[in-house]
Amino acid sequence: MEDDLFQSVYDAILRRDTCYDGRYYVGITSTGIFCRPSCRSRIPKRQNVKVFGSIEEARQAGFRACKRCQPDNPSQHGPDAEMVQRIRGFIQNRYSESLTLGEMGAALNLSPFHLHRVYKRMTGITPARELLHTRMEAAKHLLVQKDRTIADIAAAVRYRSVSHFSVVFQRTIGCTPSEYQIKKELSSNGQHCD
């Protein structure tokens, strides 16, 4: 049984999979450090790995916490997952502003390159794509409100021209803002359009 557990955890190390993060910790005998199985540090040799069921076990065996993956941090998935949440929150709160990767990095005290790389690795999309998605979702929400013009909505989601907003909206959503308004109005009235 222990060999099966060790192999499963070691496979997670090789894949840098987060499935065992917070459940098991790996001590690296060659460095004296313990990590999360998903740690992005250099993959240790199999013979240098010990699996622990808790942080206390790893510490009692003489290991200290990795500074990169911070296994003693209470977040289940570590600092990268926390960083993604911070970036998402920042985008959600400030999507209506002109945002560059440099400005996001400066506001979150991260280098733009590191922010971009970690976000893409953890989510599969870039921060710019997340910003676009957030703006389009906000635009969809605003388009169903009858008291707003498309020009107002374009400005609210940080597009300087209605034509540029319309092109981006159509490319992303699959219809123009006006068509979206009509479809939503018809569906709210119980009518269907094809």
Side-chain angles (χ1 to χ4, degrees):
M1 177 64 181
E2 286 187 22
D3 288 340
D4 290 342
L5 173 63
F6 180 88
Q7 189 58 50
S8 292
V9 173
Y10 193 72
D11 287 344
I13 293 170
L14 295 174
R15 293 187 316 270
R16 294 189 167 144
D17 190 342
T18 60
C19 67
Y20 288 120
D21 283 7
R23 292 171 51 200
Y24 296 104
Y25 301 88
V26 292
I28 316 302
T29 58
S30 58
T31 62
I33 292 172
F34 74 95
C35 301
R36 297 169 189 269
S38 66
C39 185
R40 297 284 171 189
S41 294
R42 202 165 126 192
I43 294 176
K45 293 180 181 174
R46 181 182 175 84
Q47 66 267 22
N48 292 340
V49 174
K50 290 188 175 205
V51 176
F52 299 101
S54 70
I55 292 171
E56 293 74 32
E57 283 180 35
R59 285 198 170 122
Q60 287 173 359
F63 292 91
R64 63 183 169 79
C66 173
K67 290 182 180 176
R68 184 169 191 173
C69 71
Q70 301 174 12
D72 50 352
N73 182 315
S75 169
Q76 182 183 356
H77 298 295
D80 288 351
E82 283 184 17
M83 185 187 310
V84 165
Q85 291 304 329
R86 286 176 51 214
I87 295 166
R88 273 197 185 127
F90 184 82
I91 289 171
Q92 287 289 327
N93 291 328
R94 297 182 57 188
Y95 70 86
S96 63
E97 299 174 24
S98 175
L99 293 177
T100 65
L101 200 56
E103 290 166 341
M104 281 190 236
L108 297 168
N109 203 22
L110 300 165
S111 83
F113 174 75
H114 183 64
L115 182 151
H116 184 273
R117 185 171 47 90
V118 170
Y119 196 86
K120 180 151 188 188
R121 178 173 39 83
M122 294 292 289
T123 65
I125 63 171
T126 65
R129 189 78 185 159
E130 181 71 33
L131 178 60
L132 173 66
H133 174 75
T134 302
R135 285 177 172 164
M136 291 299 106
E137 288 301 311
K140 284 167 45 178
H141 176 73
L142 293 171
L143 282 165
V144 298
Q145 298 174 6
K146 293 179 174 47
D147 61 336
R148 306 282 303 254
T149 66
I150 291 176
D152 289 342
I153 294 166
V157 294
R158 200 57 184 192
Y159 284 89
R160 290 187 183 155
S161 77
V162 174
S163 61
H164 184 229
F165 167 68
S166 295
V167 167
V168 172
F169 190 90
Q170 183 168 17
R171 190 177 336 128
T172 308
I173 307 302
C175 61
T176 67
S178 298
E179 291 168 343
Y180 185 83
Q181 281 181 319
I182 292 167
K183 286 179 185 180
K184 286 298 176 182
E185 189 172 325
L186 289 173
S187 67
S188 71
N189 293 333
Q191 299 175 14
H192 297 287
C193 59
D194 294 326

